[in-house]
Each structure stands twice: as C-alpha cells, then as structure tokens.
Amino acid sequence: MRHYFLIPLSQLTLAILLFIVGGQTLAGTLTETDKSVRSIVSGIVSYTRWPTLSDQPKLCIFSSSHFVQALSDSEPTPLPYTPHIVHNEAEALAATCDAIYFGHESPANQLAIFANYQGRALLLIAEQNPECVIGSAFCLIINDDTVRFSVNLDALSRSGVRVNPDVLMLARNKKHE
C-alpha cells in the first residue's frame, strides 16, 4: 500500500515543481521598462573601457534594485557583462566589481563604496539618483514607461574608465528614451 502513495506523491511533487518553475518563467517576462533599463545599462557598459580589463566586466547589481531580473538574466540575449547580485556594501567590496548598479542606496553610500575602491577603475550606475550630482557617473531617470539617463561628468572623470563620447551625447539627447 505504501508504494501506491509514493508514486502519486512523487508525481505530485514533480507536478508542483514544474508548476513553480513554469510560473516563474511566465512571471519572468520583461516589461517594456525592464527592457529599456537593460538596453541602456548594456549600452553604457558596452561603450565603456577599463584600462586593465581584458574580459567582460563584472557588474555587481544591488538586490535593492527594481530591475535585478532584467539586468541579471542572460535571456533572451546575452549580456555584455557578467552579472553578480550583491546585498550590501561588504559583498560589493568583496566581489571586486568592475561596475556597480545601485538600487535604493543613497548617493552618500555610493560615494562611500567608490572611496573603498580607490585605485581601481569602477563604473557606477544608479537607479534612484535623479539629480545625479554626487555618487554615480550614470543615473537612470525612470518615469512611468520612459527611461533615460544623465551623466555626472565629475564622477565619470574620477571613475578611471573611458566612455565613448557618443554615449555622453545621448545623455543630452532625449531620443534615447
């Protein structure tokens, strides 16, 4: 009698597992805003050069970001960076990132993390820094379904990375929204 219960139980377990995985796949579809954020961040990273980097840059993505899935999932197209999810400053420092994508971390926290990376080229991109005066070099401006970005040239000049001038021109041009 036990064997009769084991077979249906294992089938039920398999069905539940498939439902959970399938549900995550369906829930994992990207919105237009997700796609825009992914496209802009991928573009910025693609047109950035690090002085000593010969492989793909490692982009550390803070778990506080609204776009963790969009920035870390290599489907449907491959990413121009290696994503790495971090939960706090200590993890970001231990991961030796080439670029950091901030979620809800304040501009002051962004500066503090950058200060601990002194001597290394580091690109900072923020999701919640609309003024873009201190902190990150690139700041996404997300309003409803439109995503654009601004550039903090002072932060960029201190970052140690070189960005293609065409990207900087896009920050002035509203056509990249």
Side-chain angles (χ1 to χ4, degrees):
M1 185 133 181
R2 241 185 202 170
H3 297 288
Y4 291 111
F5 287 110
L6 287 177
I7 293 172
L9 183 59
S10 65
Q11 290 175 346
L12 178 63
T13 304
L14 180 60
I16 290 171
L17 181 62
L18 289 173
F19 178 76
I20 290 170
V21 171
Q24 287 176 344
T25 302
L26 291 175
T29 57
L30 299 178
T31 66
E32 289 305 311
T33 304
D34 291 337
K35 292 175 187 176
S36 293
V37 167
R38 178 185 172 108
S39 175
I40 288 173
V41 171
S42 292
I44 291 169
V45 172
S46 293
Y47 287 96
T48 299
R49 298 293 169 253
W50 284 259
T52 59
L53 192 62
S54 60
D55 202 6
Q56 272 194 332
K58 181 192 290 186
L59 175 67
C60 290
I61 305 159
F62 268 84
S63 61
S64 63
S65 165
H66 291 287
F67 303 99
V68 171
Q69 181 182 359
L71 294 171
S72 61
D73 189 4
S74 61
E75 295 297 327
T77 57
L79 298 167
Y81 54 83
T82 303
H84 184 82
I85 311 288
V86 295
H87 299 90
N88 55 47
E89 182 179 338
E91 285 183 19
L93 293 172
T96 59
C97 314
D98 300 303
I100 299 177
Y101 183 90
F102 295 102
H104 290 291
E105 291 69 31
S106 70
N109 287 89
Q110 296 167 26
L111 280 176
I113 291 172
F114 179 74
N116 287 316
Y117 265 90
Q118 285 302 344
R120 290 197 58 225
L122 181 66
L123 177 67
L124 302 180
I125 305 171
E127 175 178 296
Q128 299 288 329
N129 187 354
E131 292 81 30
C132 209
V133 176
I134 62 168
S136 293
F138 289 92
C139 305
L140 299 186
I141 302 163
I142 304 164
N143 294 317
D144 300 322
D145 293 335
T146 61
V147 181
R148 53 191 184 91
F149 66 94
S150 60
V151 179
N152 178 336
L153 292 174
D154 289 335
L156 185 59
S157 68
R158 289 190 302 275
S159 69
V161 299
R162 290 186 0 203
V163 178
N164 184 308
D166 292 339
V167 175
L168 303 178
M169 293 302 292
L170 280 176
R172 291 182 172 190
N173 186 350
K174 300 228 181 219
K175 290 182 183 174
H176 70 275
E177 293 179 2

